[in-house]
Amino acid sequence: MINLVKTLSTSHECIIVTTAFGNLTETIEKEGLNYRVIQLGNHANVLGRQARNYNSFKKNLMALQLVKFQIHFMLYAIKNKFDFIYSNNQGSFFKIFPVIKILKAQSVTYIRSVAENDFITRLCIKHCDQIITIADGLLDNLPKIFLEPFLSKIKTIHTGFDFKSFEDGEEISEVNSNLIRIGYVASISQRKGLDFLVSLFIESEKLSQNACLVICGQPIKDSEEYFKKCCNRLDSAGVTYIYLGYRKDIHNVYKSLDLMALPSLAEGLPRAVIEAMAHGIPVLANNVGGVKQIIKNEENGFILEPGDSSSWTKAVNLMISDSKKRLEMGKKAKEFVTENFSKEKFEIELRKVFG
């Protein structure tokens, strides 16, 4: 969203309307962007599976909070005469759908992860004027017969990166450079598959003796115990690993890796994969979401099936053993992403959507 608004601000007057405080608004202020916070109560701000478990009282409270937000948003939209209303996901579109209908404003929604075949997604696909997906295949869960009438308004635009900034950075001293350094750069949760990577290190003698697992990221809410168990397993097996936590100097992290692994069970277009490849690092990743649009299997990285320990172990061991192949794949990885995921290409495609 930040990149989108920065791009459009050169030709449009853009205002970010957010319900969030904290890190998001700090980032928006740092970028010097125009924004307005309109409060949305906690009950209405968790639309989805959690809301389905609400009792009658909580559901009514959620509805009241949502209506209050919509009224405030509509008054603000009328005052500022919005031509386009952009939603950062299907849930956001759902929250402001009545306002869009009343104002008859042009609507654009961004879908950045695999969409479920649910009421909210169908509403968005049917009634939003234009849909941007971050990768092909994110709508595959929806029946083709439903999607067919709306294909003309669905467009894939890959995230754009400023690759010049990737040239900065230096290796982190505490990362052991005597071993092959395999990075896990992601938030820590069961969906991201860190436990699978831990099992690989424990079960493969070659991997545990020749490689160091570098973990960069923080456990998401309710995943602290999961991460603790992962670390306990690594400690018990005597596996060499280092936990960097959350790092703002992400370029330094990539400079400190030889390989990266992303055994996620679900993804959109994983940013970490593109960033790693832009640093000349081959990536091994599960065949989920838009991974196939970034990695060319056995050419600039490896695409593997979720849960296929044998194939994962074979691919990792090959990369450990063959330094020449590892460097060649890293070079091809960098060439591919810098050509296909540039900031300039992203900006051109984005301006076509908003005119």
Side-chain angles (χ1 to χ4, degrees), residues 1-12:
M1 181 184 67
I2 301 296
N3 287 337
L4 180 144
V5 173
K6 284 172 65 178
T7 297
L8 294 179
S9 291
T10 59
S11 55
H12 298 69

Side-chain angles (χ1 to χ4, degrees), residues 107-303:
S107 55
V108 181
T109 296
Y110 189 38
I111 296 179
R112 47 199 170 88
S113 59
V114 177
E116 297 298 325
N117 181 23
D118 56 18
F119 170 74
I120 291 177
T121 300
R122 281 171 169 260
L123 181 84
C124 179
I125 298 294
K126 186 175 181 179
H127 293 283
C128 188
D129 294 305
Q130 296 187 75
I131 305 290
I132 301 172
T133 60
I134 198 172
D136 294 337
L138 299 189
L139 302 177
D140 285 354
N141 286 335
L142 284 84
K144 290 182 180 179
I145 194 169
F146 169 78
L147 281 176
E148 192 170 348
F150 310 114
L151 292 178
S152 61
K153 67 179 182 181
I154 300 170
K155 183 179 180 63
T156 296
I157 302 179
H158 299 312
T159 303
F161 293 80
D162 179 9
F163 291 115
K164 291 180 182 179
S165 66
F166 287 25
E167 297 171 6
D168 300 329
E170 56 186 10
E171 292 191 12
I172 299 171
S173 59
E174 60 262 40
V175 177
N176 189 339
S177 58
N178 296 319
L179 299 171
I180 301 298
R181 300 161 297 180
I182 301 177
Y184 168 95
V185 182
S187 58
I188 297 170
S189 69
Q190 198 159 358
R191 182 178 70 84
K192 290 289 186 177
L194 177 60
D195 57 310
F196 178 81
L197 202 53
V198 168
S199 294
L200 285 186
F201 268 82
I202 293 172
E203 293 166 9
S204 171
E205 185 176 343
K206 185 173 185 178
L207 184 56
S208 61
Q209 289 182 355
N210 294 281
C212 169
L213 176 59
V214 181
I215 304 170
C216 180
Q218 281 184 323
I220 66 171
K221 186 179 178 181
D222 298 326
S223 293
E224 294 83 1
E225 188 62 29
Y226 164 81
F227 180 50
K228 185 178 178 180
K229 287 179 180 178
C230 287
C231 291
N232 288 341
R233 290 178 64 202
L234 291 169
D235 289 331
S236 298
V239 172
T240 302
Y241 76 98
I242 180 169
Y243 175 51
L244 297 175
Y246 171 77
R247 302 283 294 231
K248 290 186 177 180
D249 59 337
I250 193 65
H251 296 314
N252 294 344
V253 175
Y254 291 121
K255 293 278 185 180
S256 307
L257 302 178
D258 300 296
L259 286 171
M260 198 178 89
L262 189 69
S264 293
L265 300 177
E267 286 289 347
L269 192 77
R271 181 184 184 91
V273 171
I274 297 172
E275 289 178 338
M277 292 172 69
H279 284 83
I281 302 168
V283 178
L284 300 91
N286 273 340
N287 184 16
V288 294
V291 166
K292 277 187 175 179
Q293 291 167 60
I294 316 170
I295 299 175
K296 302 303 174 186
N297 193 33
E298 299 187 28
E299 183 179 330
N300 60 17
F302 287 87
I303 301 175

Side-chain angles (χ1 to χ4, degrees), residues 157 339-350:
I157 302 179
E339 180 180 344
N340 291 280
F341 297 93
S342 69
K343 178 183 175 184
E344 293 75 17
K345 192 171 183 178
F346 169 77
E347 291 176 350
I348 291 169
E349 293 301 316
L350 198 60

Side-chain angles (χ1 to χ4, degrees), residues 291-338:
V291 166
K292 277 187 175 179
Q293 291 167 60
I294 316 170
I295 299 175
K296 302 303 174 186
N297 193 33
E298 299 187 28
E299 183 179 330
N300 60 17
F302 287 87
I303 301 175
L304 304 152
E305 294 304 316
D308 188 349
S309 301
S310 177
S311 295
W312 265 89
T313 301
K314 184 179 177 180
V316 174
N317 286 343
L318 174 62
M319 288 289 92
I320 289 175
S321 303
D322 194 336
S323 59
K324 183 179 178 181
K325 187 173 184 63
R326 190 169 67 243
L327 292 172
E328 286 176 353
M329 292 182 83
K331 182 180 178 182
K332 289 179 180 178
K334 185 173 182 177
E335 290 172 352
F336 181 79
V337 295
T338 51

Side-chain angles (χ1 to χ4, degrees), residues 23-41:
N23 291 338
L24 178 60
T25 48
E26 286 176 11
T27 303
I28 294 170
E29 288 177 348
K30 185 178 179 181
E31 295 290 347
L33 302 174
N34 191 6
Y35 78 100
R36 166 72 181 270
V37 176
I38 299 178
Q39 288 183 311
L40 176 61

